[in-house]
Amino acid sequence: MTMYKNLPRPTVFAHRGASAYAPENTLASFRLAVQQNADAIELDAKLSADGHIVVIHDQTVERTTDGKGLVQDLPLAALKELDAGRTYDQAFRGERIPTLSEVFEAVGQQTFINIELKNYAAPANALPEKVAALVRKHNMVHRVLFSSFNPIALHRIHKLLPKTPICLLSIPGLAGAWARSPLGRWVPHQALNSAVRDLTKGLIARKQNNGYRVYVYTVNNPEQISRFLKWGVDGIFTDDPPLARRTIKAETR
Ligand code: G3P
Ligand code: MG
């Protein structure tokens, strides 16, 4: 397994889609990210009560929809009744929580997709196996990357799809220090995804010398983006793909 050669570097990952301009983790935000020339989209995958892979960040639906409750307690039909657009802006009224399958159908052939395995509330559930099966079904084996803060989920999906690149997410601060250290080698991965606060020039150099790419999440500030680019970062997760593009252009001029 190696990182995709045709994934441009530095890579602009649209974090939860173009989430500075459209409601996060909706088809509207993913389509917009593609229009805005992001190199890849990032999304958060978890299971509904009846085992469908849905794309939503939080464990509950409250912040991003007009509903109430835990995603893992709601079946897909109930999740589909919720409006995932109007709490962001009335202009997006009617947007729904998408399934991963719907995202593949909408933009799967137009971009790379970083699927964050977000089974943190139920770390041993079948999310990795279900995602792997869906990726195969939709012929997306060479268009997706997996990431997670959950190392077990990454091990399990790597067994099923050994050629698909993996990004190890490091938890901000001390709790994620192991992932940024040589101990991280315990998890199969090609890229380390570091939080802004933990990223140093030295960390980038050390990881790159050991053959890893280094990505940083989540950066919406042009000065920070410039600094990380000067340090040689391989990719940026941003809510604002046009801002990242402009900054990369200015830095590489
Ligand atoms: O992959 C980077 C980022 O998505 C991880 O944090 O909470 O935005 O999913 P979060
Ligand atoms: Mg995420």
Side-chain angles (χ1 to χ4, degrees):
M1 155 188 52
T2 49
M3 187 49 77
Y4 297 123
K5 301 241 174 339
N6 54 345
L7 183 65
R9 194 157 35 143
T11 312
V12 175
F13 291 89
H15 179 243
R16 310 180 196 174
S19 56
Y21 302 93
E24 66 179 55
N25 282 320
T26 62
L27 294 184
S29 71
F30 300 138
R31 288 192 173 113
L32 189 56
V34 170
Q35 282 171 25
Q36 292 177 342
N37 260 326
D39 300 308
I41 59 168
E42 186 263 359
L43 56 80
D44 302 297
K46 49 170 63 87
L47 293 182
S48 64
D50 50 350
H52 291 273
I53 307 163
V54 289
V55 178
I56 179 167
H57 180 273
D58 295 3
Q59 286 174 29
T60 68
V61 299
E62 271 106 82
R63 181 178 60 85
T64 55
T65 78
D66 55 356
K68 272 192 172 28
L70 289 167
V71 176
Q72 64 180 20
D73 291 345
L74 296 165
L76 182 61
L79 290 167
K80 279 293 186 189
E81 277 174 22
L82 309 180
D83 193 307
R86 83 181 165 89
T87 49
Y88 178 88
D89 190 306
Q90 282 297 331
F92 291 98
R93 200 187 183 97
E95 278 296 319
R96 301 288 140 187
I97 296 171
T99 61
L100 185 57
S101 170
E102 287 166 345
V103 179
F104 287 165
E105 276 158 23
V107 296
Q109 295 310 312
Q110 299 163 59
T111 190
F112 288 91
I113 303 182
N114 176 185
I115 303 169
E116 182 180 344
L117 301 171
K118 230 174 178 60
N119 57 344
Y120 308 136
N125 74 6
L127 182 69
E129 289 70 26
K130 292 202 175 204
V131 168
L134 198 73
V135 164
R136 271 196 202 285
K137 182 175 160 200
H138 285 260
N139 246 328
M140 293 290 292
V141 174
H142 302 295
R143 295 198 75 87
V144 298
L145 303 87
F146 300 121
S147 68
S148 190
F149 293 106
N150 174 356
I152 307 293
L154 294 177
H155 267 287
R156 278 168 48 192
I157 206 150
H158 176 62
K159 268 207 174 133
L160 297 166
L161 295 174
K163 294 203 170 124
T164 303
I166 288 179
C167 310
L168 175 60
L169 273 162
S170 84
I171 299 168
L174 202 56
W178 68 269
R180 300 184 295 276
S181 81
L183 287 176
R185 271 197 296 249
W186 170 68
V187 185
H189 65 289
Q190 285 61 55
L192 172 75
N193 292 15
S194 165
V196 168
R197 61 182 261 201
D198 297 312
L199 195 59
T200 61
K201 200 177 173 184
L203 176 62
I204 294 176
R206 199 162 66 246
K207 293 312 266 187
Q208 288 177 339
N209 286 340
N210 285 307
Y212 296 98
R213 303 251 171 126
V214 180
Y215 301 143
V216 61
Y217 68 91
T218 300
V219 203
N220 298 318
N221 168 314
E223 286 79 39
Q224 279 181 338
I225 295 176
S226 295
R227 176 157 48 98
F228 294 137
L229 291 170
K230 287 195 179 85
W231 291 351
V233 79
D234 297 295
I236 291 155
F237 287 78
T238 180
D239 301 336
D240 194 338
L243 173 80
R245 277 263 164 269
R246 284 196 303 275
T247 313
I248 289 171
K249 206 170 162 194
E251 282 297 323
T252 48
R253 212 180 279 150

